[in-house]
Amino acid sequence: MKSVLLISAFCFVWMELLLAWQQQSSDPYRQALVNYRSDAPKNKFYELSSEQYIPGTVDADSGVREKRLSDPTFRGNPKTREQIWAKKFAHILVNDRQSKSLVDLLIRVVTKYLHACIPIILFDSYVEQKEGLMMESLFRQFPLTYTCGKIGLNYTLENPEILATTASKCRSYIIFLSDALMTRHIIGPQLTDYVVVIPRSSQWKLQDFLSSKESRDILNLLVIGESYSAGKSANEEVPYVLYTHDLYIDGLGSNRPIVLTTWMNGKFSRTNVDLFPKKIRKGFSGHRFTVALAHQPPFVFKQLSTDAVGNIAIRWDGIEIRVLKTMGNYLNFTIDYKEPSKGYLG
């Protein structure tokens, strides 16, 4: 048995030596490369630390290599690890802080002003995609029972049946949308219900909305806009500005935006301000309304008269006409009577 193992080991060693001799004799380029390396001067620094030393710059006598030129001095303003992390995560922290501030503000408004009615919360696709965490936090902390609806394309409701009027309960509206000018297009005129609008628009666009005729027939209106101050830092909380409008400030029926207060750090800058003040306290500023009427005694009388030249003059009288005149004297507006062109429309 031992003789068999010795013979096998001898054969293995013999085959390895034979293969090595064949490769050396059949590869003259490899042998020349080995001979070239063997003729090179022995140097223990050969191609070591090439990032610090220039390759091929070894002094033959001293064996010292030439170092690369390097300046270890840091040029600039070095930042700490906390500053780098704050820069990378500041926008996330600010967004969370802003969302929490807005949710606290809405809960304060709902608790004080909208508790007597059923709130209807409407939001568009932009708010759903960009501010889903804020909406989730609002729904989780909302103190009242509410109805929710989504604003689809062309600013139309996907479930318009939620706006159907009910005789038993009043309602209020909390609307999140990109363009404040489309508020009336979504909910229509609102003369008694409270409407809170949170648009994603600039302050100039909010003031345009409050000054336009689209907001004239939304009486109890509150607009919450984020203040875009120029000199704020990355970690500073941005205040929310609360707007409403003053209606019929002149005879043309113009509106005027009004800044009520601001919300920051969980409190109002003006504590004793009514967010839904009474409107049109001084009347309609002489605004001229057009009233359609027809001859219906005893409510409306149509009286014709002619002057000396033959011109026909129309004079309207009756119970409803006198009521309108009394209201006009009390609320400071004038009336332009207009008879329908077709008699059966009366």
Side-chain angles (χ1 to χ4, degrees):
M1 185 66 181
K2 293 182 180 180
S3 60
V4 174
L5 294 175
L6 290 175
I7 294 173
S8 300
F10 178 76
C11 293
F12 178 76
V13 173
W14 173 258
M15 292 297 295
E16 290 292 331
L17 294 175
L18 182 62
L19 290 175
W21 178 79
Q22 289 180 355
Q23 291 179 0
Q24 184 177 2
S25 60
S26 61
D27 193 357
Y29 298 101
R30 182 176 181 181
Q31 184 63 31
L33 183 60
V34 172
N35 294 336
Y36 171 76
R37 293 289 187 181
S38 61
D39 294 338
K42 304 297 183 180
N43 189 355
K44 62 180 179 179
F45 300 110
Y46 183 75
E47 292 186 356
L48 298 177
S49 301
S50 59
E51 67 277 1
Q52 298 183 12
Y53 299 92
I54 301 177
T57 58
V58 181
D59 191 353
D61 298 333
S62 61
V64 178
R65 292 186 296 169
E66 182 180 355
K67 264 193 165 186
R68 297 179 184 271
L69 296 178
S70 60
D71 186 7
T73 305
F74 184 84
R75 307 296 180 183
N77 297 320
K79 293 181 174 59
T80 62
R81 179 178 60 182
E82 290 77 10
Q83 291 175 339
I84 296 175
W85 286 6
K87 182 180 179 181
K88 291 184 178 180
F89 296 99
H91 64 283
I92 300 177
L93 298 177
V94 169
N95 289 339
D96 292 342
R97 191 180 301 113
Q98 288 297 118
S99 300
K100 184 179 182 303
S101 177
L102 180 59
V103 170
D104 294 341
L105 171 59
L106 290 176
I107 291 177
R108 177 76 67 87
V109 173
V110 169
T111 305
K112 186 174 181 180
Y113 297 97
L114 309 183
H115 60 276
C117 300
I118 300 176
I120 299 178
I121 303 177
L122 306 176
F123 58 91
D124 58 2
S125 58
Y126 175 82
V127 176
E128 181 183 16
Q129 296 174 4
K130 300 295 184 180
E131 302 183 6
L133 295 178
M134 186 271 296
M135 298 298 295
E136 181 180 354
S137 177
L138 176 63
F139 293 151
R140 185 171 58 250
Q141 305 179 35
F142 207 79
L144 304 176
T145 302
Y146 61 90
T147 305
C148 186
K150 183 178 178 181
I151 304 172
L153 299 177
N154 299 325
Y155 294 95
T156 57
L157 290 176
E158 294 185 357
N159 47 345
E161 61 275 2
I162 66 174
L163 298 182
T165 58
T166 56
S168 58
K169 294 289 184 179
C170 63
R171 59 185 57 207
S172 57
Y173 298 91
I174 302 176
I175 306 175
F176 298 87
L177 76 167
S178 303
D179 190 1
L181 291 172
M182 303 304 296
T183 302
R184 189 186 184 282
H185 178 75
I186 297 172
I187 61 175
Q190 301 293 330
L191 302 180
T192 57
D193 297 334
Y194 287 174
V195 178
V196 181
V197 181
I198 304 96
R200 294 299 178 255
S201 306
S202 63
Q203 295 180 0
W204 312 112
K205 202 165 187 178
L206 296 183
Q207 295 184 9
D208 290 342
F209 164 65
L210 293 171
S211 303
S212 64
K213 63 180 181 179
E214 282 77 11
S215 63
R216 185 181 305 171
D217 50 5
I218 303 178
L219 194 62
N220 300 310
L221 176 63
L222 176 64
V223 179
I224 301 175
E226 185 176 337
S227 176
Y228 295 96
S229 55
K232 69 181 184 67
S233 61
N235 293 325
E236 182 181 356
E237 180 181 348
V238 179
Y240 285 97
V241 184
L242 283 70
Y243 304 87
T244 188
H245 53 14
D246 192 6
L247 301 177
Y248 295 97
I249 60 175
D250 54 22
L252 299 177
S254 304
N255 309 338
R256 178 174 57 195
I258 300 175
V259 176
L260 296 172
T261 181
T262 59
W263 170 269
M264 188 176 181
N265 296 327
K267 60 183 180 180
F268 292 109
S269 60
R270 301 175 184 172
T271 56
N272 298 324
V273 176
D274 187 6
L275 300 184
F276 293 93
K278 299 297 182 181
K279 304 292 179 67
I280 322 178
R281 290 183 175 181
K282 297 182 180 180
F284 294 90
S285 301
H287 185 68
R288 191 173 188 84
F289 291 96
T290 301
V291 177
L293 43 71
H295 181 69
Q296 295 289 337
F299 305 102
V300 178
F301 291 97
K302 180 180 179 181
Q303 299 175 357
L304 300 177
S305 61
T306 57
D307 55 8
V309 185
N311 296 325
I312 299 176
I314 301 177
R315 180 176 177 271
W316 297 95
D317 199 358
I319 298 176
E320 293 184 353
I321 299 299
R322 295 182 181 183
V323 169
L324 286 176
K325 289 182 178 180
T326 304
M327 292 177 60
N329 295 330
Y330 181 75
L331 298 176
N332 191 17
F333 66 85
T334 58
I335 304 172
D336 183 15
Y337 300 106
K338 185 176 182 179
E339 188 177 10
S341 59
K342 298 180 180 179
Y344 64 88
L345 295 178

